Amino acid sequence: MNKWKVGIPVLVIALFLAWYAFRPERLFIGQRIHEEFPTMGTGGSAQTLASGTFHGVLHPTQGTATIYRLGNGSRVLRFTKFKTSNGPDVHVYMVATDDAKDSATVQRAEVIDLGTIKGNIGDQNYTLGPDVDLSKYRAVSVWCKRFSVNFGTAALVPDQISSVKRWPLPLDLSRIERTQSLSPFA
């Protein structure tokens, strides 16, 4: 009889702690959000700097991550048509890697924590500080801190228009004096 008096409270406490740690109901209950694009007070149009499509790692994850420079010079990471599993203590990380196809890549790389995810479904914005070097931090990870797992990642690709200044300009061959044939077969 004494075993039951001790065993039942211990079992109840263990079940409560397991529930709190895993929060299984979050796998079935989505947290929707719809933030508008941040245009108020920016004084101009936004420029796309980089973007990428989410792919699932541990959980199905979809949508687009895009980094914009606003008219006032600030930068914002925007998720559009975003959807992933809900979970406990899920954060948005900028990751110093080309892509994070597993959890170990995120754990080995430098990361910048942009904060807790605002919702597992919907459009949302995250402010990027001026210290975020986009040539170094080239991926966005949806990361569960409690279990150290990567829900999904978007590898960021520089926008073609904004990255033109990084590449050599096209050579204007009409201005070069032609002294010999350009053909390798001549």
Side-chain angles (χ1 to χ4, degrees):
M1 185 74 158
N2 284 338
K3 289 181 182 179
W4 287 106
K5 287 182 180 180
V6 173
I8 290 176
V10 169
L11 179 64
V12 168
I13 290 171
L15 287 173
F16 174 77
L17 292 175
W19 168 81
Y20 182 76
F22 291 99
R23 301 297 306 261
E25 78 280 3
R26 289 195 174 173
L27 293 174
F28 307 105
I29 300 171
Q31 184 175 353
R32 293 183 182 274
I33 185 166
H34 178 73
E35 287 188 320
E36 296 294 326
F37 187 80
T39 57
M40 296 304 201
T42 59
S45 62
Q47 174 188 14
T48 302
L49 300 178
S51 64
T53 303
F54 278 101
H55 60 85
V57 177
L58 186 66
H59 293 280
T61 304
Q62 60 191 31
T64 303
T66 307
I67 297 177
Y68 296 96
R69 181 184 319 280
L70 303 179
N72 64 6
S74 64
R75 296 179 301 175
V76 66
L77 168 65
R78 180 163 174 80
F79 292 2
T80 51
K81 298 181 182 174
F82 179 73
K83 185 175 182 181
T84 192
S85 297
N86 203 349
D89 204 17
V90 179
H91 286 242
V92 177
Y93 282 0
M94 292 293 298
V95 186
T97 187
D98 289 330
D99 197 357
K101 296 181 180 181
D102 57 16
S103 297
T105 302
V106 178
Q107 290 173 324
R108 286 190 307 266
E110 270 186 66
V111 298
I112 296 175
D113 188 343
L114 300 179
T116 304
I117 197 165
K118 296 175 181 179
N120 67 308
I121 302 169
D123 300 348
Q124 48 204 287
N125 306 306
Y126 299 89
T127 302
L128 296 180
D131 58 330
V132 178
D133 180 0
L134 297 181
S135 66
K136 180 178 180 180
Y137 295 93
R138 299 175 310 276
V140 178
S141 171
V142 178
W143 182 260
C144 179
K145 285 181 86 170
R146 181 168 296 163
F147 296 108
S148 297
V149 294
N150 187 4
F151 276 30
T153 301
L156 298 173
V157 177
D159 185 65
Q160 299 300 324
I161 296 171
S162 65
S163 63
V164 167
K165 57 187 165 193
R166 293 187 206 162
W167 298 99
L169 296 175
L171 185 60
D172 183 3
L173 296 176
S174 66
R175 300 176 127 189
I176 298 175
E177 187 176 320
R178 199 169 192 180
T179 56
Q180 49 183 282
S181 174
L182 297 176
S183 172
F185 304 107

